[in-house]
């Protein structure tokens, strides 16, 4: 009997039993990370028994396709092993919906499917007996059972991929090119050792040292849920890494996973980690990664498939959409989340529409998969009610209120409602000022009114390389004390280390206001009372439409401004999130995902495929416009026109791309301004025909009503 992977020129062969043993060995090793090694081993041993049919042998010689996955699933199902059967049934096509016997494509439909004779497997493979799973259910238990199936499925499909890869490449693929957690901790400790001896609490460095020491001390405590509530300037990036590596070393965990909302923050944090730990130990898993050479590219591509690195830096989108996915390619990595320290940086940015299922998934990782989780932010959201009562967060940062008072760099002043003309007049009188508005159209209008030398505009309608160029110019002007005015939307609120003398912020969510204030006197070189963050509302205008997702945060923020004189205090922030989540109510699980899995018990009827189709953190569909104004971009367009396709090519091209919403795309395409460059199932590229629509100061000109934050 032979495996289906045949190379016509070499006619390499591998027996089913050899493959089954290797997949069982790997699957068992993976599942052992959450105490279910026998389950992973058992699924691997029977996953391909459908290949023992004569029809499958004919397939090896050019015959029609054969469903070989259902056989092993049916054998497991008949023995009462329903969760294992789901995994084997989906190991090629993805986890199916439970469905019913009347629906052929669903799990229960396939359990009634007639199959060709595959009973020859009995001479070589035995259907295993499984021990009870050490699963501790949360709530009704349905979500827990479905989560376990997805974890076990991940072990199986990753093991299947890896053994097939080993066979096809004759063992020449190099994986595991990284150092141990212990080595990484030693490297980090050498980096911070000199900082730890500063005990002067009246200095910035002394305060940072106190937080670092607290991270080391808390790192040896038991696994669970932690908070790291740190004001801007407290050294959050290195402090959180210190806790994570100490904790991982203490509890023999395997990796650190940073989950971050914005790619701009990912790039900065990942570079810090690479500088301290070595670039071969850090995986950036997001769409904008560009590698320096082919060897590094191959290493990172392989690691991205299953997160096989000790430090992973990824996005909210990648992390949570993988946890709710059903396809093999997306699910391969999730078993490697077990035995990890997971840092949610800017935790207030957890996706609000899916807050309940996301918190439920985090709870599962803590309770059943040996993970510790850190909610890391300057504006700690009020998440306690969403966790089970037996999971309570412990604060890492010492004296949170005292740290906030000490690190406060700016005086926040609310001036109420003003006109656009008054705002422009105020900005004209400032030398170095940042102004953040809620409407892109309003940003463009204020920018045009101020337009002149050393006045800048930032937008997601500028391609990434262009934005970085402008960011560099702004940073240089600020550093050298030159005049500099920046008008932007919320894209500059996180991950951009500006240090302006004053900041004007149109009222939005309290967390956004505090993020904006963090761009004022960031380095503490000015007196606090001389560094103002001005909060204001703008008079309504018929042609200005506030993005729908901002309306409730603005409304709740207005309530908080009436109650608290200092809206940046931890107490004000906590109440802001309490009210926000209360008013959101059922929309915190907008697709009713938690309940759809909970009610799947006791029949194990789970909507895996339907949920994967529905769960999209960024709901708005976008199109990609490549702007080929620079020589490298022109060369990339030519390569794409010639039909070149590679992951690295697309990533490089991404540095010259703008993502726009569907309506804006239709406006441009309908006017004949776009050429379709390449369209396939994974990537759509359109080239901007009229280059005059893209300018150095404004980027791509479209009719724009939306805010930028979701696309940054």
């Amino acid at each position: 009997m032979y495996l289906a992977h045949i190379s016509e020129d070499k006619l390499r062969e591998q027996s089913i039993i050899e493959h089954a043993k290797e997949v069982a060995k790997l699957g068992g090793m993976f599942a052992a990370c959450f105490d279910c090694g026998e389950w992973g081993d058992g699924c691997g041993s029977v996953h391909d028994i459908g290949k023992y049919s004569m029809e499958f042998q004919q397939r090896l010689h050019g015959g029609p396709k054969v469903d070989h996955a259902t056989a092993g699933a049916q054998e497991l199902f008949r023995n009462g092993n329903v969760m294992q059967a789901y995994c084997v049934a989906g190991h090629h096509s993805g986890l199916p919906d439970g469905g019913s016997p009347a629906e052929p494509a669903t799990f229960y439909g396939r359990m009634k499917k007639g199959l060709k004779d595959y009973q020859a497997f009995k001479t070589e493979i035995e259907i295993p007996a499984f021990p009870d799973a050490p699963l501790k259910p949360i709530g009704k238990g349905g979500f827990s059972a479905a989560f376990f199936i997805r974890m076990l499925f991940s072990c199986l499909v990753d093991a299947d991929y890896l053994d097939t890869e080993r066979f096809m490449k004759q063992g020449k693929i190099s994986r595991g090119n990284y150092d141990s957690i212990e080595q990484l901790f030693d490297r980090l400790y050498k980096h911070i050792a000199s900082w730890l001896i500063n005990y002067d609490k009246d200095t910035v460095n002394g305060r940072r040292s106190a937080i670092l020491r607290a991270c080391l001390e808390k790192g040896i405590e038991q696994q669970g849920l932690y908070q790291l509530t740190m004001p801007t300037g407290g050294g959050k990036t290195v402090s959180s890494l210190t806790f994570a590596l100490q904790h991982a070393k203490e509890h023999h965990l395997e990796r650190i996973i940073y989950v971050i909302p914005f790619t701009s923050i990912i790039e900065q944090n990942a570079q810090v980690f690479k500088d301290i730990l070595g670039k071969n130990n850090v995986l950036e898993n997001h769409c904008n990664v560009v590698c320096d050479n082919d060897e590094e590219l191959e290493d990172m591509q392989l690691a991205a498939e299953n997160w096989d690195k000790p430090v992973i830096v990824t996005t909210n989108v990648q992390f949570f959409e993988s946890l709710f996915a059903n396809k093999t390619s997306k699910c391969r990595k999730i078993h490697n989340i077990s035995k990890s320290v997971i840092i949610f940086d800017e935790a207030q940015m957890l996706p609000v529409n899916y807050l309940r299922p996301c918190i439920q998934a985090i709870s599962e990782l803590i309770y059943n998969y040996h993970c510790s989780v850190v909610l890391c932010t300057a504006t700690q959201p009020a998440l306690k009610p969403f966790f089970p009562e037996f999971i309570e967060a412990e604060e890492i940062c010492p004296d949170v209120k005292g740290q906030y008072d000490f690190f406060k760099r700016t005086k926040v002043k609310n001036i109420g409602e003003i006109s656009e003309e008054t705002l422009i007049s105020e900005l004209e009188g400032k030398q170095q000022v940042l102004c953040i508005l809620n409407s892109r159209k309003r940003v463009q209008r204020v920018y045009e009114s101020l337009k002149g030398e050393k006045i800048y505009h930032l937008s997601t309608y500028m391609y990434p390389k262009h934005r970085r160029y402008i960011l560099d110019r702004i940073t240089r002007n600020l550093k050298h004390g030159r005049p500099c005015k920046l008008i932007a939307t919320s894209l500059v609120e996180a991950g951009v280390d500006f240090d302006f003398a004053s900041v004007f912020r149109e009222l939005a969510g309290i967390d956004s206001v505090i993020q904006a204030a963090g761009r004022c006197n960031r380095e503490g070189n000015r007196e606090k009372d001389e560094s103002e963050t001005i909060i204001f509302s703008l008079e309504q205008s018929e042609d200005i439409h506030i993005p729908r997702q901002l309306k409730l945060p603005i409304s709740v923020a207005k309530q908080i401004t009436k109650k608290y004189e200092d809206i940046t205090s931890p107490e004000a922030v906590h109440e802001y999130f309490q009210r926000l989540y209360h008013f959101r109510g059922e929309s915190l699980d907008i697709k009713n995902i938690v309940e759809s899995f909970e009610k799947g018990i006791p029949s194990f009827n789970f909507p895996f495929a339907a949920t994967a189709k529905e769960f999209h953190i960024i709901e708005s569909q976008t199109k990609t416009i490549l702007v080929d104004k620079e020589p490298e971009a022109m060369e990339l367009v030519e390569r794409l026109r010639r039909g070149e396709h590679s992951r690295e090519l697309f990533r490089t091209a991404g540095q010259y791309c703008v993502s726009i919403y569907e309506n804006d795309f239709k406006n441009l395409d309908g006017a004949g301004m776009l050429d379709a460059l390449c369209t396939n199932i994974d990537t759509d590229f359109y080239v901007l025909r009229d280059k005059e629509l893209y300018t150095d100061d404004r980027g791509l000109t479209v009719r724009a009503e939306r805010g930028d934050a979701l696309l940054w």
Side-chain angles (χ1 to χ4, degrees):
M1 300 296 174
Y2 301 101
L3 184 66
H5 307 286
I6 293 291
S7 171
E8 293 183 2
D9 56 342
K10 296 184 179 179
L11 295 177
R12 293 172 294 185
E13 300 174 344
Q14 181 188 36
S15 70
I16 297 175
I17 187 65
E18 178 188 348
H19 177 62
K21 286 180 177 178
E22 289 299 318
V23 174
K25 179 181 175 182
L26 284 172
M29 181 176 69
F30 296 154
C33 287
F34 47 93
D35 310 312
C36 291
E38 291 176 82
W39 287 60
D41 184 294
C43 288
S45 67
V46 302
H47 78 290
D48 271 352
I49 62 175
K51 291 182 177 180
Y52 281 84
S53 70
M54 290 302 298
E55 287 74 14
F56 185 81
Q57 296 309 302
Q58 294 168 4
R59 167 64 180 161
L60 297 180
H61 300 284
K65 289 184 178 181
V66 177
D67 170 10
H68 71 271
T70 300
Q74 287 188 357
E75 292 290 334
L76 292 167
F77 184 75
R78 279 192 284 269
N79 284 9
N81 299 313
V82 182
M83 292 193 282
Q84 301 92 319
Y86 261 108
C87 299
V88 173
H91 81 268
H92 276 292
S93 57
L95 284 170
D97 288 332
S100 72
E103 300 171 287
T106 66
F107 174 75
Y108 281 103
R110 289 172 65 181
M111 293 306 97
K112 295 293 185 181
K113 182 180 180 180
L115 301 174
K116 303 297 183 181
D117 181 18
Y118 59 88
Q119 296 304 311
F121 84 89
K122 292 180 178 178
T123 63
E124 294 184 338
I125 296 175
E126 183 178 336
I127 301 299
F130 293 89
D132 291 339
L135 186 67
K136 299 171 291 185
I138 297 175
K140 299 176 184 177
F143 190 96
S144 295
F147 200 90
F148 176 74
I149 291 171
R150 198 180 274 106
M151 272 287 187
L152 192 63
F153 175 68
S154 172
C155 296
L156 173 61
V157 297
D158 193 30
D160 194 19
Y161 269 94
L162 289 173
D163 187 61
T164 300
E165 176 188 272
R166 176 194 62 79
F167 172 68
M168 295 299 291
K169 301 295 184 181
Q170 299 180 308
K172 294 180 181 178
I173 291 290
S174 176
R175 288 180 178 268
N177 176 31
Y178 49 77
D179 299 317
S180 69
I181 290 292
E182 290 74 17
Q183 289 173 304
L184 299 185
F185 176 80
D186 290 343
R187 208 167 291 161
L188 171 70
Y189 194 85
K190 289 177 183 177
H191 182 80
I192 66 172
S194 63
W195 304 351
L196 296 171
I197 60 177
N198 189 334
Y199 285 86
D200 187 351
K201 292 186 177 181
D202 292 328
T203 66
V204 169
N205 288 336
R207 290 278 179 159
R208 289 172 177 168
S209 294
I211 295 170
L212 268 177
R213 288 192 295 272
C215 288
L216 285 170
E217 292 165 7
K218 288 287 186 182
I220 64 174
E221 295 188 7
Q222 66 183 6
Q223 286 196 258
L225 177 64
Y226 288 86
Q227 292 180 174
L228 182 55
T229 310
M230 288 183 62
T232 300
K236 180 178 62 174
T237 301
V238 174
S239 292
S240 60
L241 180 64
T242 299
F243 170 85
L245 282 172
Q246 174 78 297
H247 199 68
K249 182 170 76 80
E250 176 72 17
H251 297 286
H252 309 289
L253 306 180
E254 297 186 353
R255 56 189 48 81
I256 316 299
I257 302 174
Y258 272 82
V259 185
I260 299 176
F262 305 114
T263 55
S264 55
I265 309 177
I266 285 183
E267 291 164 354
Q268 291 185 34
N269 285 13
Q271 190 58 53
V272 172
F273 302 152
K274 289 174 183 177
D275 290 343
I276 298 172
L277 306 175
K279 65 192 307 183
N280 63 304
N281 295 303
V282 180
L283 170 68
E284 288 183 71
N285 191 210
H286 60 92
C287 60
N288 290 338
V289 178
V290 177
C291 298
D292 294 336
N293 53 62
D294 291 341
E295 183 179 348
E296 181 186 340
L297 172 63
E298 182 180 23
D299 180 54
M300 290 301 153
Q301 286 178 338
L302 290 172
E305 292 171 354
N306 62 353
W307 282 3
D308 188 19
K309 287 283 183 183
V311 179
I312 310 295
V313 193
T314 190
T315 61
N316 284 340
V317 173
Q318 277 276 356
F319 186 82
F320 287 113
E321 290 190 4
S322 294
L323 283 176
F324 289 93
N326 75 314
K327 295 300 184 184
T328 57
S329 58
K330 282 196 171 184
C331 287
R332 278 186 68 181
K333 64 176 79 75
I334 64 176
H335 71 88
N336 274 333
I337 299 175
S338 62
K339 294 190 74 173
S340 294
V341 182
I342 308 168
I343 312 287
F344 289 98
D345 197 9
E346 304 297 347
Q348 79 282 358
M349 296 298 295
L350 288 172
V352 178
N353 285 343
Y354 298 97
L355 189 64
R356 290 186 183 277
C358 288
I359 295 297
Q360 193 87 348
I362 292 170
S363 300
E364 288 290 340
L365 291 169
I366 294 170
Y367 198 49
N368 284 307
Y369 300 94
H370 304 300
C371 290
S372 288
V373 168
V374 182
L375 305 173
C376 187
T377 177
T379 53
Q380 198 65 244
L383 297 178
K384 182 178 180 179
F386 305 106
F387 283 98
E389 61 182 12
F390 51 82
I391 297 180
E392 288 202 22
E394 184 170 352
E395 180 60 58
I396 299 172
C397 184
D399 185 19
V400 171
K401 183 67 167 64
Q403 304 296 1
Y404 268 80
D405 291 340
F406 179 85
F407 280 102
K408 191 174 288 186
R409 299 278 189 266
T410 177
K411 182 178 180 181
V412 178
K413 181 180 178 182
N414 185 4
I415 62 173
E417 186 174 284
I418 61 174
S419 67
E420 197 171 295
E421 292 73 19
T422 299
L423 172 64
I424 292 167
S425 177
E426 288 285 338
L427 297 176
E428 285 175 336
K430 303 292 183 182
Q431 283 286 98
Q432 292 187 346
V433 61
L434 166 64
C435 178
I436 302 174
L437 303 174
N438 294 330
S439 161
R440 183 189 282 141
K441 187 170 187 177
R442 188 95 78 168
V443 166
Q444 292 175 348
R445 207 153 68 194
V446 171
Y447 169 73
E448 289 294 335
S449 298
L450 292 168
K451 197 170 179 180
E453 190 177 358
K454 302 295 189 297
I455 298 174
Y456 301 96
H457 164 236
L458 274 174
S459 168
T460 52
Y461 277 11
M462 296 170 174
Y463 53 79
K465 187 176 179 182
H466 184 189
R467 284 205 304 267
R468 282 196 297 271
Y469 170 74
I470 294 176
L471 288 168
D472 287 343
R473 290 177 64 185
I474 293 168
T475 302
R476 285 198 302 271
N477 286 337
L478 294 174
K479 183 178 179 180
H480 295 291
R482 294 192 287 260
C484 182
K485 296 175 184 176
L486 171 60
I487 319 300
T489 55
S490 58
L491 66 86
V492 298
E493 284 180 348
V496 183
D497 293 339
F498 287 144
D499 183 10
F500 280 91
S502 58
V503 169
F504 282 68
R505 185 31 164 129
E506 185 177 4
L507 185 64
I510 297 298
D511 53 325
S512 293
V513 169
I514 293 174
Q515 289 282 5
R519 312 309 123 191
C520 184
N521 194 24
R522 187 175 182 85
E523 301 302 322
N525 295 324
R526 308 172 187 87
E527 292 297 323
K528 181 174 68 175
D529 291 342
E530 297 174 0
S531 307
E532 285 191 328
T533 296
I534 306 298
I535 310 303
F536 60 92
S537 299
L538 284 170
E539 293 176 351
Q540 292 186 356
S541 175
E542 290 185 2
D543 64 334
I544 298 297
H545 303 283
I546 299 300
R548 180 173 52 85
Q549 67 269 20
L550 288 181
K551 290 182 178 179
L552 181 59
I554 291 171
S555 176
V556 176
K558 286 180 179 178
Q559 298 172 17
I560 297 300
T561 60
K562 293 176 181 177
K563 181 173 180 179
Y564 290 90
E565 183 178 350
D566 180 7
I567 62 173
T568 68
S569 69
E571 297 82 6
V573 171
H574 184 79
E575 184 165 344
Y576 165 77
F577 280 110
Q578 276 188 323
R579 294 189 183 204
L580 181 67
Y581 296 153
H582 172 74
F583 288 127
R584 288 298 300 258
E586 293 183 358
S587 67
L588 295 172
D589 185 1
I590 198 168
K591 303 291 177 63
N592 201 31
I593 288 169
V594 173
E595 184 57 30
S596 69
F597 282 108
E598 289 285 57
K599 69 183 182 183
I601 284 291
S603 62
F604 293 94
N605 195 321
F606 299 123
F608 289 113
T611 297
K613 187 176 180 180
E614 288 288 314
F615 191 98
H616 296 291
I617 290 176
I618 299 177
E619 298 285 358
S620 301
Q621 296 298 309
T622 62
K623 295 287 188 179
T624 302
I625 312 300
L626 200 160
V627 182
D628 57 336
K629 294 188 72 172
E630 298 188 37
E632 184 183 28
M634 295 176 187
E635 181 183 344
L636 290 168
V637 167
E638 290 306 311
R639 290 173 62 187
L640 289 166
R641 289 193 194 281
R642 291 196 299 266
E644 288 189 44
H645 290 76
S646 71
R647 190 180 302 179
E648 182 61 11
L649 178 61
F650 291 145
R651 282 176 171 168
T652 305
Q655 300 303 304
Y656 300 96
C657 287
V658 175
S659 294
I660 65 174
Y661 289 102
E662 193 75 34
N663 287 341
D664 294 330
F665 170 79
K666 289 178 179 178
N667 290 337
L668 289 173
D669 195 39
M673 299 299 180
L674 303 175
D675 275 337
L677 183 57
C678 61
T679 57
N680 58 47
I681 195 168
D682 297 317
T683 307
D684 286 356
F685 276 123
Y686 295 83
V687 177
L688 186 66
R689 294 179 64 186
D690 185 353
K691 303 301 186 292
E692 292 184 1
L693 287 178
Y694 192 98
T695 60
D696 290 341
D697 58 346
R698 295 182 60 172
L700 182 64
T701 301
V702 295
R703 288 196 311 197
E705 300 295 338
R706 299 173 183 261
D708 288 284
L710 288 178
L711 291 179
W712 174 243

